[in-house]
Tab-separated table of all heavy atoms in Angstrom:
chain	number	residue	atom	x	y	z
A	30	LEU	N	66.439	-52.085	87.138
A	30	LEU	CA	67.641	-52.730	87.645
A	30	LEU	C	67.790	-54.114	87.023
A	30	LEU	O	66.913	-54.958	87.151
A	30	LEU	CB	67.590	-52.839	89.175
A	30	LEU	CG	67.620	-51.512	89.931
A	30	LEU	CD1	67.479	-51.749	91.433
A	30	LEU	CD2	68.901	-50.730	89.644
A	53	GLY	N	90.947	-50.692	111.890
A	53	GLY	CA	92.178	-50.534	112.668
A	53	GLY	C	91.899	-50.326	114.146
A	53	GLY	O	92.593	-50.892	115.000
A	143	TRP	N	84.256	-28.011	101.757
A	143	TRP	CA	82.800	-27.889	101.667
A	143	TRP	C	82.333	-27.934	100.205
A	143	TRP	O	81.265	-28.464	99.899
A	143	TRP	CB	82.314	-26.597	102.331
A	143	TRP	CG	82.751	-25.330	101.643
A	143	TRP	CD1	83.859	-24.575	101.923
A	143	TRP	CD2	82.100	-24.683	100.538
A	143	TRP	NE1	83.949	-23.508	101.077
A	143	TRP	CE2	82.875	-23.545	100.212
A	143	TRP	CE3	80.946	-24.950	99.792
A	143	TRP	CZ2	82.535	-22.672	99.175
A	143	TRP	CZ3	80.598	-24.100	98.757
A	143	TRP	CH2	81.385	-22.970	98.467
A	150	MET	N	77.572	-34.478	96.413
A	150	MET	CA	76.139	-34.614	96.658
A	150	MET	C	75.323	-34.282	95.404
A	150	MET	O	74.356	-34.986	95.067
A	150	MET	CB	75.711	-33.717	97.819
A	150	MET	CG	76.220	-34.166	99.180
A	150	MET	SD	75.242	-35.491	99.903
A	150	MET	CE	73.866	-34.571	100.572
A	161	VAL	N	66.409	-45.142	87.705
A	161	VAL	CA	66.899	-46.163	88.613
A	161	VAL	C	68.026	-46.949	87.957
A	161	VAL	O	68.939	-47.441	88.637
A	161	VAL	CB	65.761	-47.112	89.057
A	161	VAL	CG1	65.261	-47.965	87.890
A	161	VAL	CG2	66.232	-48.014	90.198
A	231	SER	N	79.489	-51.333	110.831
A	231	SER	CA	80.088	-51.423	109.497
A	231	SER	C	79.342	-52.410	108.612
A	231	SER	O	79.566	-52.469	107.409
A	231	SER	CB	81.567	-51.822	109.603
A	231	SER	OG	81.711	-53.113	110.153
A	401	LEU	N	58.600	-63.211	112.800
A	401	LEU	CA	57.833	-64.142	113.635
A	401	LEU	C	56.353	-64.128	113.267
A	401	LEU	O	55.681	-65.171	113.266
A	401	LEU	CB	57.998	-63.779	115.118
A	401	LEU	CG	59.339	-64.106	115.783
A	401	LEU	CD1	59.389	-63.500	117.174
A	401	LEU	CD2	59.574	-65.607	115.843
A	402	ARG	N	55.831	-62.937	112.936
A	402	ARG	CA	54.414	-62.803	112.578
A	402	ARG	C	54.166	-63.043	111.094
A	402	ARG	O	53.158	-63.627	110.712
A	402	ARG	CB	53.915	-61.400	112.957
A	402	ARG	CG	53.979	-61.071	114.436
A	402	ARG	CD	52.893	-61.799	115.215
A	402	ARG	NE	51.569	-61.472	114.737
A	402	ARG	CZ	50.864	-60.418	115.141
A	402	ARG	NH1	51.394	-59.578	116.019
A	402	ARG	NH2	49.642	-60.198	114.678
A	410	GLU	N	48.147	-66.781	103.362
A	410	GLU	CA	47.694	-66.062	102.167
A	410	GLU	C	48.357	-66.535	100.872
A	410	GLU	O	47.674	-66.709	99.858
A	410	GLU	CB	47.934	-64.558	102.359
A	410	GLU	CG	47.141	-63.978	103.528
A	410	GLU	CD	47.394	-62.487	103.719
A	410	GLU	OE1	48.181	-61.911	102.927
A	410	GLU	OE2	46.817	-61.909	104.652
Side-chain angles (χ1 to χ4, degrees):
L30 294 177
W143 66 267
M150 290 279 280
V161 68
S231 64
L401 286 172
R402 298 286 301 274
E410 298 179 1

